[in-house]
Amino acid sequence: MKTYAIAVRALCEFTAKSGDLDLRFTPAPTALEGQAGHATVAARRARDGYESEVSVSGEYKLLTVRGRADGYDRHSRTLEEVKTFRGDLARQPANHRVLHWTQAKVYGWLMCLKLQKDGLDLDEMNISLVYFDIASQREQVFTQACSAEELRSHFESHCERFLAWAEQEVAHRSQRDETLAALPFPHGHFRTGQRELAEAVYRATVQGRVLMAQAPTGIGKTVGTLFPMLKAMPGQQLDQVFFLTAKGSGRQLALEAAERLQSGQPARPILRTLELVARNKACEHPELACHGESCPLARGFYDRLADARAEALARPMLDKATVREVALAHQVCPYYLSQELARWADVIVGDYNYLLDIGGLLMGLTLARGSRVSVLIDEAHNLLERSRMMYSADLDQAALKAMRRTAPAALKSVLAKLNKAWNDWAKPQATQATPYQVYPAVPEAFSQALQKATSAITDHFTEYPTSAVDGELQRFYFDALHFSRVHELADENWLVDVTLQGPPGRKPLALITLRNVVPAPQLGPRLAVAHSVALFSATLTPREFYADLLGLPDDTVWVDVPTPFSAGQLEVRVARHISTRYQHRAASVEPIAGLIAEQYARRPGNYLAFFSSFDYLRQVLAAFRTLAPEVPVWEQSRGMSEPEREAFLARFVPEGRGVGFAVLGGSFGEGVDLPGDRLIGAFIATLGLPQLNPVNEEMKKRLDARFGPERGYDYAYLYPGLQKVVQAAGRVIRTTEDEGVIHLIDDRFTGPRVRRLLPAWWTIRQSEPQITNSSAL
């Protein structure tokens, strides 16, 4: 039988965790704080005979156990396991301490094996747990003297507990790889363009490269990317494939594709496919705290985990509903069961943030386990804005003000000092003369006040772990922790800005934002952790825009998959006598309404009309109702719920007639599949350019500084805008049988800078509406 390699931490977490799930407010240090803490402890021991970060390994039957011991002192024969922490160590749950001792003793035996190879047999070794408080920089050390025989027995007993599972995993991996190697394409044939995409993904996976694939809508990108990566899985010895999406609709398509690929296979799954969902969508008791004294699904979680895990991994598809069903049958938390299953799944489908966010689950697991993974990133044109959001942070003084009213008495003083530092930073008409202002950095006084406040709140939650949680205090606390984590990373790729806001006549309050502009330095190293990455979308033009801002390596493979559609399928017209610029919008309303009415009269059917704002939408809709009252219309509204969005799309029925009015860049501009005559045309009355405002202008300046003044405007405005236009237009032609029309409504669509960003297969004609606003231009 093949061997099975496992990290020390993974082994011990499998065999030594017991009792309750306990997530009381003792937050772990950030990754940077943890690294700094370990470095501080190592520096204090920098002397002859002391080694830090010692690579160790050992074997037991089919298992190979590996890891890095934090430190070993040859003179005192002491193996150290270092743990960084916040709060009161006395309140550490007992099962946490048991796990730490288990890890330390496993490292102890592996260190004995290493020393034996060096010709030194030890009868006894000291095992020390070193707890380092990142706030006080103090250590608490607990030491046990263990015989070598005791350490060997400890190691082997935990290996024995894992052995049956390892045998099962080896058998599963063997069956999985054998089946995937012979896996047939699930459809009778590839669609036009789908084969080219699949071949590019397969080559990139085999070569261990990053691939950027621009592929048209409607060719089956989900199956066309997942299938070849799975085919490459056995040869590349991949442990897992991550399929990352920006929206829930993409997640569902990926789950359906994985299920389709397994159709016709044996009942027992060849692929363990897991859907990861956000905690607020998986939690059964959001009103309860995550510990055994509060939540029944946290009580005894680790004691019931083994049975729940075994049942779950025998299921063919671990989507949200299935994980919930298994979890509740075993009375464990569905969210944390899914976190455990992420260790053992072959294909994981989830949001971008699970891998790419600060502290993302999949990134942590991949690094800790040393896994070999490949990644698919769906609708990759969304990755820039989503990454900027992940690496940005806000702190709202209004939230601090509201929270201070109900904050515990012990926190009043430290919160008052934080508020004073806030006021000193952004004084209206003093340090800040305008409502929006960019600063070179976060003032040191504010940073220190915030750190003291978060430490005090941490101590409060640690002191009163079972008391009712103040929602406003908790929200501010988490916001402050995230702000501090982003602040650790922030450099010239961020803006530090302050917005003064509040009702007229009252003292304004300051919203502080660490605004990421260029996520490349954060994304690049995260993407590099994977064996291969394939990013794909219908809109990945121009290349330099994505290469610069997403941190792609120099040897990235670029593929532009030919469209399966012909110019004869799509009539593209430009309304060159209409301007949708802000100063011309009032004059453009009637001409746009007339153009829509004219097109509808020429060919009745289902249409979508896109606008730059809800106000603009409503103005044109009112004019259209007056001009063509007999035509059915429906409109997107602000903050639509999921049922409301579904009802909007449900109006697009085969052979239906009417016009849906929507905002460009919203829910209906991408990820919407309306083939055939469910949608026969679109009107796009905007270039989609981001609003001209102080924030976007400052981002443009920062991009100018990073990439040259000729690129700042394009990167901040033009490329993001045209990306939305092309995505919206892509709703019209979904299959090689579809026919439709697109009206691009703005004279700027005739300009060469804009035209080169539109799909090359479009043949563009001029549109001459009955009513124009040329006099306004």
Side-chain angles (χ1 to χ4, degrees):
M1 181 174 281
K2 295 181 180 178
T3 60
Y4 187 96
I6 187 169
V8 170
R9 179 174 174 177
L11 171 70
C12 297
E13 286 181 343
F14 189 96
T15 61
K17 278 189 171 182
S18 62
D20 295 350
L21 177 69
D22 197 337
L23 298 175
R24 300 179 213 214
F25 294 98
T26 52
T30 67
L32 290 178
E33 288 174 332
Q35 293 168 11
H38 277 74
T40 298
V41 172
R44 290 174 178 176
R45 289 153 173 74
R47 57 181 178 268
D48 180 51
Y50 189 88
E51 301 176 71
S52 59
E53 294 292 313
V54 185
S55 294
V56 293
S57 66
E59 296 179 356
Y60 181 79
K61 296 184 178 179
L62 65 82
L63 295 180
T64 298
V65 184
R66 299 172 179 152
R68 284 182 177 272
D70 289 326
Y72 180 70
D73 189 326
R74 289 179 177 267
H75 297 306
S76 63
R77 298 182 176 183
T78 301
L79 184 289
E80 293 190 324
E81 172 71 0
V82 180
K83 300 293 182 183
T84 57
F85 75 99
R86 290 177 180 271
D88 183 358
L89 190 61
R91 296 186 179 276
Q92 181 186 59
N95 58 352
H96 290 200
R97 186 69 61 85
V98 169
L99 174 62
H100 297 164
W101 275 120
T102 300
Q103 291 175 345
K105 290 179 180 179
V106 168
Y107 278 122
W109 173 245
L110 297 181
M111 192 68 208
C112 286
L113 293 178
K114 182 179 180 65
L115 293 173
Q116 286 175 9
K117 293 177 182 178
D118 295 339
L120 181 61
D121 283 326
L122 296 184
D123 295 328
E124 187 177 83
M125 180 180 290
N126 295 315
I127 307 297
S128 289
L129 282 180
V130 180
Y131 288 101
F132 181 77
D133 187 337
I134 62 166
S136 68
Q137 300 284 292
R138 295 175 181 170
E139 300 176 23
Q140 294 187 54
V141 181
F142 303 88
T143 302
Q144 294 182 16
C146 300
S147 68
E149 177 59 27
E150 179 184 349
L151 294 176
R152 182 190 64 78
S153 176
H154 174 87
F155 171 76
E156 292 182 355
S157 68
H158 283 275
C159 287
E160 280 289 339
R161 294 180 207 175
F162 186 73
L163 207 53
W165 187 267
E167 291 170 350
Q168 171 190 291
E169 290 303 290
V170 169
H172 167 75
R173 177 71 169 260
S174 178
Q175 180 195 17
R176 182 200 76 181
D177 287 353
E178 181 180 340
T179 307
L180 287 179
L183 188 69
F185 188 65
H187 305 297
H189 61 275
F190 286 94
R191 299 181 190 177
T192 304
Q194 193 178 39
R195 178 180 287 278
E196 290 89 336
L197 175 61
E199 289 175 349
V201 172
Y202 184 85
R203 285 195 299 269
T205 308
V206 170
Q207 295 168 3
R209 305 277 289 279
V210 173
L211 167 71
M212 287 289 281
Q214 181 168 269
T217 58
I219 69 167
K221 291 194 289 291
T222 304
V223 171
T225 54
L226 184 58
F227 172 72
M229 190 167 279
L230 292 177
K231 289 290 288 183
M233 208 170 182
Q236 299 308 303
Q237 299 184 328
L238 298 180
D239 298 305
Q240 294 178 307
V241 166
F242 302 152
F243 193 108
L244 306 181
T245 70
K247 297 182 179 180
S249 56
R251 200 165 65 231
Q252 187 58 40
L253 288 173
L255 293 170
E256 291 171 359
E259 194 166 37
R260 197 175 305 124
L261 288 167
Q262 292 201 86
S263 61
Q265 299 300 326
R268 187 169 182 85
I270 58 160
L271 279 178
R272 298 166 176 169
T273 303
L274 172 68
E275 177 186 17
L276 291 176
V277 298
R279 179 172 171 176
N280 62 353
K281 293 183 179 179
C283 182
E284 289 291 312
H285 302 293
E287 75 284 0
L288 302 178
C290 290
H291 58 80
E293 295 176 30
S294 176
C295 179
L297 300 182
R299 190 176 308 124
F301 175 88
Y302 292 109
D303 299 330
R304 294 190 291 273
L305 175 59
D307 290 340
R309 178 174 54 212
E311 181 180 339
L313 293 179
R315 300 292 185 99
M317 176 62 63
L318 292 168
D319 58 7
K320 175 186 174 183
T322 302
V323 172
R324 179 177 185 269
E325 176 190 335
V326 172
L328 296 185
H330 291 272
Q331 282 296 287
V332 296
C333 171
Y335 176 72
Y336 285 101
L337 174 59
S338 71
Q339 305 274 291
E340 170 65 22
L341 296 175
R343 302 168 185 270
W344 314 108
D346 302 305
V347 178
I348 297 179
V349 179
D351 191 90
Y352 295 160
N353 69 283
Y354 283 104
L355 182 70
L356 303 175
D357 201 354
I358 299 171
L361 168 72
L362 297 181
M363 178 61 67
L365 286 178
T366 300
L367 292 174
R369 293 159 58 86
S371 301
R372 189 174 173 88
V373 304
S374 282
V375 181
L376 294 167
I377 298 182
D378 186 24
E379 300 294 358
H381 64 275
N382 287 308
L383 185 56
L384 173 59
E385 282 308 310
R386 284 294 308 277
S387 299
R388 284 172 168 166
M389 292 171 60
M390 282 187 258
Y391 309 137
S392 296
D394 290 329
L395 273 184
D396 192 344
Q397 194 174 15
L400 173 64
K401 181 179 179 181
M403 180 263 287
R404 288 177 64 198
R405 297 191 189 104
T406 57
L411 298 177
K412 295 287 188 182
S413 175
V414 72
L415 294 177
K417 291 177 181 177
L418 173 60
N419 191 61
K420 181 180 183 304
W422 214 313
N423 290 331
D424 290 342
W425 178 359
K427 293 179 181 176
Q429 284 78 49
T431 56
Q432 181 151 341
T434 57
Y436 174 83
Q437 186 167 318
V438 172
Y439 291 82
V442 176
E444 184 62 27
F446 179 86
S447 182
Q448 291 182 1
L450 182 65
Q451 182 178 0
K452 290 178 180 177
T454 52
S455 295
I457 299 172
T458 298
D459 292 343
H460 169 76
F461 283 137
T462 303
E463 185 71 21
Y464 304 101
T466 60
S467 61
V469 176
D470 181 329
E472 290 182 335
L473 178 62
Q474 178 179 311
R475 280 190 295 274
F476 181 83
Y477 175 60
F478 288 148
D479 287 346
L481 289 177
H482 179 62
F483 187 94
S484 297
R485 289 174 180 137
V486 172
H487 187 212
E488 291 177 347
L489 304 173
D491 55 19
E492 70 276 6
N493 296 298
W494 275 260
L495 295 174
V496 178
D497 59 46
V498 175
T499 304
L500 300 179
Q501 53 192 12
R506 293 190 181 180
K507 179 183 176 182
L509 299 175
L511 173 68
I512 303 169
T513 305
L514 299 177
R515 194 181 309 275
N516 182 258
V517 180
V518 181
Q522 305 306 315
L523 282 176
R526 287 170 167 80
L527 295 176
V529 167
H531 168 69
S532 71
V533 181
L535 304 96
F536 54 98
S537 169
T539 48
L540 293 176
T541 301
R543 293 181 179 182
E544 66 270 15
F545 174 61
Y546 292 97
D548 285 345
L549 296 181
L550 297 184
L552 305 180
D554 293 338
D555 65 347
T556 295
V557 180
W558 293 82
V559 174
D560 195 349
V561 178
T563 179
F565 312 129
S566 66
Q569 290 181 255
L570 184 65
E571 181 183 356
V572 183
R573 291 186 171 273
V574 174
R576 62 188 178 90
H577 292 302
I578 297 178
S579 168
T580 64
R581 297 171 180 84
Y582 184 77
Q583 64 269 32
H584 301 147
R585 284 187 189 163
S588 73
V589 169
E590 289 189 9
I592 295 173
L595 188 152
I596 297 173
E598 179 186 349
Q599 173 63 41
Y600 188 90
R602 186 164 55 243
R603 185 187 175 191
N606 286 331
Y607 293 86
L608 266 169
F610 293 99
F611 300 88
S612 56
S613 68
F614 285 102
D615 288 341
Y616 199 16
L617 179 157
R618 284 190 289 267
Q619 292 173 36
V620 177
L621 177 56
F624 182 74
R625 279 176 167 150
T626 301
L627 190 62
E630 74 285 357
V631 179
V633 295
W634 52 99
E635 65 178 302
Q636 179 183 359
S637 59
R638 296 180 190 273
M640 292 178 80
S641 64
E642 186 64 33
E644 288 172 332
R645 291 194 293 271
E646 291 174 357
F648 182 96
L649 292 174
R651 299 288 295 269
F652 293 90
V653 296
E655 301 182 8
R657 296 190 175 188
V659 183
F661 285 71
V663 172
L664 190 70
S667 303
F668 309 112
E670 61 176 274
V672 172
D673 193 19
L674 301 171
D677 61 2
R678 292 179 65 191
L679 182 69
I680 64 170
F683 307 89
I684 304 175
T686 171
L687 265 71
L689 305 182
Q691 185 181 17
L692 188 66
N693 60 34
V695 174
N696 287 331
E697 282 296 284
E698 288 294 341
M699 292 186 72
K700 173 183 172 295
K701 291 179 184 177
R702 189 58 57 92
L703 291 166
D704 279 339
R706 283 296 315 274
F707 304 111
E710 71 283 357
R711 290 188 176 177
Y713 173 81
D714 289 347
Y715 282 17
Y717 291 101
L718 185 61
Y719 298 160
L722 268 294
Q723 177 191 93
K724 296 175 187 175
V725 169
V726 176
Q727 279 289 325
R731 302 313 98 204
V732 178
I733 302 296
R734 307 296 295 176
T735 73
T736 53
E737 289 76 38
D738 289 357
E739 293 182 354
V741 61
I742 295 170
H743 286 272
L744 303 175
I745 307 172
D746 193 283
D747 60 314
R748 287 169 290 179
F749 281 113
T750 63
R753 290 181 72 194
V754 171
R755 291 285 285 269
R756 70 182 178 89
L757 297 172
L758 302 178
W761 67 276
W762 287 4
T763 299
I764 299 177
R765 307 172 189 174
Q766 304 302 319
S767 179
E768 301 292 344
Q770 294 178 341
I771 308 172
T772 74
N773 65 336
S774 56
S775 60
L777 304 180

